[in-house]
């Protein structure tokens, strides 16, 4: 643990990794773990191995003993040949994160965060979320025997609260500004010995590196041109970019793919800053999109994401709700049902192709961050069909379809 440290993503101030620190006390920007530049993939059978074992060299913080895994990661990378052909693209792949224990990629970072917290002696874990992260922390918190605190906003619907409550955490509806709650939770956590593994906590970012590692292995280390990540707080896209960067530093791949930060037009603070050539995000006013999972008006890692796009040669794009719903249906046509936020990458492919930014000779990986069953209200917005007939007439009915 000693040899590895965290540093501020803006002023580079160093921090020790053997303590729970989340943001820089000098400039309030997020912290990041040191880049791993020496490591290899461990051999072994993935049926009896966890992602933490296979990629152990890249997680020096987590060596301390306690392990928690519910089988997160090792998710499929499905190629859609028909879709690539109809869109005029060289290759389209879906990294299907809905196949995690609580049906979203959040489980990777939750697992990493809890292992880190336990290693530091914490007995309490917490998060601020109304969606997938809340479910994930509630599940992993209870499975690892930690006292678990989930802070949600007061207006949360029953449909959203039940899948969190089933794991029986301290589930607290907080009346107040939800954006402020993120920063407030870090202060309260410090006072009450609760390790808050929020959206862009350094260990959550570390957990997302495994998405990149798996893509490298799944493509036989032949890198795609672009990886598209639906982005809210910015934790996941940071982890994915870092994962490719580390594999490159270790000589496992010879180039890193370009990263595309994908947002919904109804809440696109990173895209807005990118378009203006600004180095800092501004709060998005009046956020509204069907892609609730990426509806953060003031992403805590927004500035870091802008910088990584500049360094990586990546871009930012945003699409309308209409485009998102269309993409959700198209993906379902390929057998993959993602929640609206998870359809944003495909909508971005279609948009960038129409604008000529994508030429058609590219190989693209879309990150399907969470399951379509997480937000069934979106189903009402599709024209879904079924038909009906009498049993006696079924044979003829089918012949005449
Ligand atoms: C959390 C989440 C995101 C956004 O990830 P960030 O790390 O906050 O940028 C995207 N899609 C889904 C389904 C999510 O749950
Ligand atoms: Zn700083």
């Amino acid at each position: 643990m000693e040899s590895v440290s965290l540093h501020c993503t803006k002023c580079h101030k160093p921090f020790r990794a053997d303590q729970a620190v989340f943001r820089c006390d000098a400039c309030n920007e997020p912290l990041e773990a040191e880049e791993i530049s020496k490591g290899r993939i461990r051999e072994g059978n993935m049926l009896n191995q966890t992602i933490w074992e296979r990629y152990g060299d890249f997680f020096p913080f987590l060596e301390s003993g306690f392990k928690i895994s519910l089988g997160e990661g090792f998710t499929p990378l499905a190629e859609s040949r028909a879709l690539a052909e109809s869109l005029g693209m060289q290759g389209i792949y879906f990294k299907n994160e809905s196949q995690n224990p609580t049906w979203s990629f959040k489980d990777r970072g939750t697992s990493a965060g809890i292992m880190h917290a336990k290693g530091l002696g914490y007995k309490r874990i917490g998060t601020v979320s109304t969606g997938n992260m809340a479910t994930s922390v509630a599940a992993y918190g209870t499975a690892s025997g930690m006292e678990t605190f989930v802070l949600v906003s007061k207006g949360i619907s029953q449909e959203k609260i039940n899948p969190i409550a089933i794991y029986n955490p301290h589930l607290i509806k907080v009346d107040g500004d939800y954006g402020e709650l993120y920063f407030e939770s870090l202060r309260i956590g410090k006072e009450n010995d609760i390790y808050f593994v929020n959206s862009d906590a350094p260990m959550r970012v570390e957990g997302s590196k495994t998405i990149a590692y798996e893509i490298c292995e799944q493509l036989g280390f032949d890198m795609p041109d672009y990886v598209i990540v639906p982005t809210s707080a910015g934790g996941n896209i940071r982890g994915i970019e870092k994962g490719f960067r580390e594999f490159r530093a270790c000589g496992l791949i010879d180039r890193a793919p370009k990263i595309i930060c994908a947002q919904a037009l109804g809440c696109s603070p990173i895209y807005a800053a990118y378009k203006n050539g600004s180095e800092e995000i501004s709060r998005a006013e009046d956020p509204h999109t069907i892609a609730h999972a990426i509806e953060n008006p003031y992403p805590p890692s927004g500035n870091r994401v802008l910088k990584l796009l500049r360094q990586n040669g990546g871009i930012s794009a945003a699409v309308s709700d209409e485009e998102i719903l269309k993409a959700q249906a198209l993906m379902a046509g390929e057998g993959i049902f993602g929640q609206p936020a998870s359809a944003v990458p495909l909508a971005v492919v279609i948009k960038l192709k129409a604008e000529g930014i994508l030429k058609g000779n590219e190989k693209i990986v879309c990150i399907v961050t969470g399951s379509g069953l997480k937000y069934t209200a979106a189903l009402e917005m599709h024209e879904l069909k079924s038909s009906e007939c009498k049993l006696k007439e079924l044979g003829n009915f089918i012949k005449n379809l």
Side-chain angles (χ1 to χ4, degrees):
M1 230 188 239
E2 262 168 39
S3 59
V4 195
S5 69
L6 305 171
H7 62 266
C8 171
T9 52
K10 185 175 182 192
C11 74
H12 304 288
K13 180 176 172 179
F15 292 82
R16 279 168 39 202
D18 60 351
Q19 53 181 14
V21 284
F22 304 98
R23 299 187 82 84
C24 179
D25 55 5
C27 65
N28 203 27
E29 282 295 302
L31 305 183
E32 188 156 300
E34 195 177 295
E35 182 183 300
I36 305 291
S37 56
K38 214 170 144 258
R40 58 175 186 85
I41 298 164
R42 302 223 180 119
E43 314 246 307
N45 178 350
M46 281 146 67
L47 288 174
N48 56 27
Q49 195 181 32
T50 67
I51 53 174
W52 312 113
E53 289 161 352
R54 189 168 188 82
Y55 305 120
D57 284 7
F58 301 87
F59 296 95
F61 318 99
L62 306 180
E63 275 167 3
S64 60
F66 178 80
K67 296 282 180 257
I68 169 78
S69 174
L70 298 173
E72 59 287 338
F74 294 146
T75 59
L77 182 72
E79 182 175 11
S80 282
R81 289 223 170 86
L83 191 57
E85 198 169 309
S86 75
L87 298 177
M89 296 300 304
Q90 167 99 33
I92 293 186
Y93 298 80
F94 294 107
K95 181 65 172 160
N96 192 353
E97 289 296 296
S98 73
Q99 298 208 11
N100 275 295
T102 72
W103 314 283
S104 86
F105 78 87
K106 295 290 197 303
D107 293 337
R108 299 175 187 263
T110 302
S111 178
I114 289 185
M115 287 192 277
H116 188 236
K118 276 243 184 183
L120 300 181
Y122 279 84
K123 296 187 170 62
R124 307 169 117 189
I125 196 89
T127 198
V128 173
S129 164
T130 47
N132 290 332
M133 192 162 53
T135 312
S136 180
V137 170
Y140 279 76
T142 194
S144 58
M146 291 187 101
E147 192 178 2
T148 306
F149 297 80
V150 177
L151 310 184
V152 300
S153 55
K154 189 166 165 261
I156 186 176
S157 70
Q158 204 60 36
E159 190 202 355
K160 277 188 161 180
I161 215 159
N162 288 340
I164 307 168
I166 189 71
Y167 301 107
N168 201 21
H170 297 297
L171 179 48
I172 308 168
K173 294 186 197 176
V174 183
D175 189 359
D177 183 81
Y178 186 65
E180 235 173 77
L181 185 54
Y182 166 97
F183 294 98
E184 190 62 9
S185 71
L186 299 183
R187 198 185 60 74
I188 291 169
K190 213 169 176 180
E191 276 175 18
N192 294 280
D193 291 325
I194 306 170
Y195 184 114
F196 269 90
V197 57
N198 288 345
S199 50
D200 67 341
M203 289 306 130
R204 194 169 275 294
V205 173
E206 289 297 291
S208 281
K209 298 192 307 191
T210 54
I211 295 177
Y213 300 161
E214 290 172 22
I215 291 170
C216 291
E217 289 208 71
Q218 286 166 316
L219 292 177
F221 304 94
D222 181 12
M223 285 300 92
D225 298 285
Y226 290 99
V227 174
I228 312 186
V229 190
T231 299
S232 189
N236 195 33
I237 192 170
R238 284 179 54 201
I240 291 172
E241 187 274 335
K242 186 167 190 263
F244 286 118
R245 189 156 29 96
E246 291 183 339
F247 262 27
R248 183 162 178 230
C250 294
L252 291 164
I253 52 175
D254 55 14
R255 68 178 174 92
K258 291 189 170 138
I259 305 293
I260 300 181
C261 168
Q263 298 204 292
L265 274 170
C267 181
S268 51
I270 298 174
Y271 172 67
Y274 171 86
K275 212 173 44 172
N276 296 336
S278 169
E279 288 186 14
E280 287 196 2
I281 57 156
S282 313
R283 180 179 294 274
E285 295 304 329
D286 189 23
H288 56 91
T289 168
I290 189 175
H292 294 300
I294 54 169
E295 199 174 20
N296 187 330
Y298 194 61
S301 276
N303 298 336
R304 172 62 188 132
V305 171
L306 285 170
K307 189 160 143 190
L308 82 81
L309 293 178
R310 286 195 300 276
Q311 289 168 342
N312 159 280
I315 57 178
S316 185
V319 287
S320 68
D321 281 10
E322 198 186 333
E323 292 169 301
I324 293 168
L325 284 168
K326 245 188 218 159
Q328 189 184 35
L330 263 181
M331 263 166 61
E334 301 295 303
I336 294 172
F337 181 33
Q339 62 189 94
S342 306
V344 169
L346 179 60
V348 162
V349 172
I350 295 167
K351 180 163 194 166
L352 295 182
K353 177 74 178 8
E355 289 174 350
I357 295 167
L358 293 176
K359 308 295 176 206
N361 57 355
E362 299 95 344
K363 223 162 66 173
I364 295 187
V365 174
C366 296
I367 310 293
V368 180
T369 42
S371 162
L373 290 177
K374 289 280 189 158
Y375 186 60
T376 51
L379 291 169
E380 314 289 327
M381 294 166 200
H382 291 276
E383 279 176 40
L384 303 177
K385 292 178 298 188
S386 61
S387 46
E388 195 178 324
C389 84
K390 293 223 157 53
L391 177 56
K392 273 191 291 193
E393 290 151 18
L394 182 59
N396 273 336
F397 185 84
I398 287 173
K399 278 189 202 108
N400 293 327
L401 276 178

